[in-house]
């Protein structure tokens, strides 16, 4: 089975390929010749995942899945949320986003947050959603060299290391994306 992952993010593609059964070939947007930026104009994480999957399915007629993720900080009423990638403005920049968040939480006692991923799968005329969430806290400093996004400042509940201090394999077994992908894989395993 061939399935388009509506992403050009090499880190995400690598992370997901580790979790998908070998019998399913994952192809990127680049692989199908989709070079345009798919609009992410929804005001929810779920909405953006649906927009991206529908774009590929409607324009290319292919089975596809897309994800959208966000970091939701309790004391900031869920911000940056759907705007996580561009929290510090354009162009999107992980370092600037983390700096802005650390500054926003500087005088806050409550640093609870969660990472949330929603995957939208369009397959054989059906649309299914899978959600993964992991709770944790935001640190005051960046630690670790692995991962991407907010990984250097997020420590999951029950851990003492940031996501950026974990190996890709360690992270993918417990992360929000890993949780959602496991649900996706369970379904795909029934189809191959």
């Amino acid at each position: 089975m061939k399935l388009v992952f509506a992403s050009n993010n090499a880190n995400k593609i690598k992370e997901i390929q580790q979790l998908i059964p070998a019998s399913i070939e994952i192809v990127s947007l680049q692989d199908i010749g989709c070079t345009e930026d798919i609009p992410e104009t929804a005001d929810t994480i779920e909405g953006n995942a649906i927009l991206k999957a529908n774009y590929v399915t409607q324009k290319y007629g292919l089975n596809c899945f897309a994800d959208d993720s966000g970091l939701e900080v309790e004391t900031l009423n869920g911000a940056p949320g759907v705007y996580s990638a561009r929290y510090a403005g354009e162009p999107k920049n992980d370092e600037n986003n983390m700096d802005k968040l650390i500054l926003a939480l500087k005088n806050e006692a409550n640093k609870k947050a969660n990472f949330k991923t929603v995957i939208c799968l369009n397959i054989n005329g059906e649309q299914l959603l899978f959600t993964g969430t992991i709770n944790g806290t935001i640190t005051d400093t960046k630690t670790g060299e692995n991962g991407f996004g907010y990984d250097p400042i997020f420590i999951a509940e029950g851990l003492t290391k940031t996501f950026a201090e974990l190996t890709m394999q360690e992270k993918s077994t417990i992360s929000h994306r890993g949780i959602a992908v496991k649900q996706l894989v369970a379904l795909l395993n029934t189809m191959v």
Side-chain angles (χ1 to χ4, degrees):
M1 178 192 296
K2 187 182 278 194
L3 200 52
V4 178
F5 178 25
S7 178
N8 278 320
N9 182 323
N11 290 312
K12 274 190 195 180
I13 293 166
K14 236 185 268 178
E15 210 172 279
I16 287 201
Q17 277 177 328
Q18 286 191 337
L19 302 166
I20 299 281
S23 56
I24 298 169
E25 183 188 350
I26 300 297
V27 295
S28 70
L29 291 174
Q30 191 175 353
D31 294 332
I32 63 166
C34 179
T35 55
E36 59 269 30
D37 276 337
I38 298 175
E40 294 183 48
T41 53
D43 56 7
T44 63
I45 292 168
E46 293 85 351
N48 276 340
I50 292 167
L51 277 176
K52 290 188 274 189
N54 286 350
Y55 183 91
V56 171
T57 300
Q58 289 162 5
K59 185 164 183 182
Y60 296 91
L62 298 168
N63 287 332
C64 164
F65 69 96
D67 79 324
D68 198 42
S69 299
L71 178 68
E72 300 172 327
V73 180
E74 193 174 281
T75 197
L76 300 178
N77 299 316
V82 72
Y83 306 107
S84 293
R86 292 169 181 80
Y87 184 52
E90 291 288 353
K92 58 185 176 181
N93 180 288
D94 293 344
E95 294 297 319
N96 293 346
N97 290 338
M98 286 186 285
D99 291 342
K100 180 176 179 178
L101 185 58
I102 289 168
L103 188 61
L105 295 176
K106 189 176 179 183
N107 299 315
E108 297 290 338
N110 177 1
K111 297 188 193 257
K112 289 182 188 171
N114 71 73
F115 266 128
K116 178 180 180 180
T117 291
V118 176
I119 295 174
C120 176
L121 172 67
N122 287 347
I123 193 160
N124 305 332
E126 274 191 86
Q127 185 169 82
L128 301 153
L129 295 178
F130 307 94
T131 303
T133 305
I134 187 164
N135 296 318
T137 55
I138 302 299
T139 63
D140 296 326
T141 55
K142 302 171 200 167
T143 312
E145 300 297 318
N146 302 325
F148 56 97
Y150 295 89
D151 288 354
I153 61 169
F154 182 83
I155 298 176
E157 269 179 13
L159 295 183
T160 55
K161 295 178 177 180
T162 67
F163 267 5
E165 293 177 281
L166 303 177
T167 66
M168 188 186 292
Q169 200 159 15
E170 288 171 329
K171 178 190 167 193
S172 64
T173 59
I174 62 161
S175 76
H176 50 301
R177 188 170 295 105
I179 293 166
V181 169
K182 281 178 193 144
Q183 296 168 37
L184 170 70
V185 168
L187 176 84
L188 293 175
N189 277 331
T190 68
M191 305 174 109
V192 289

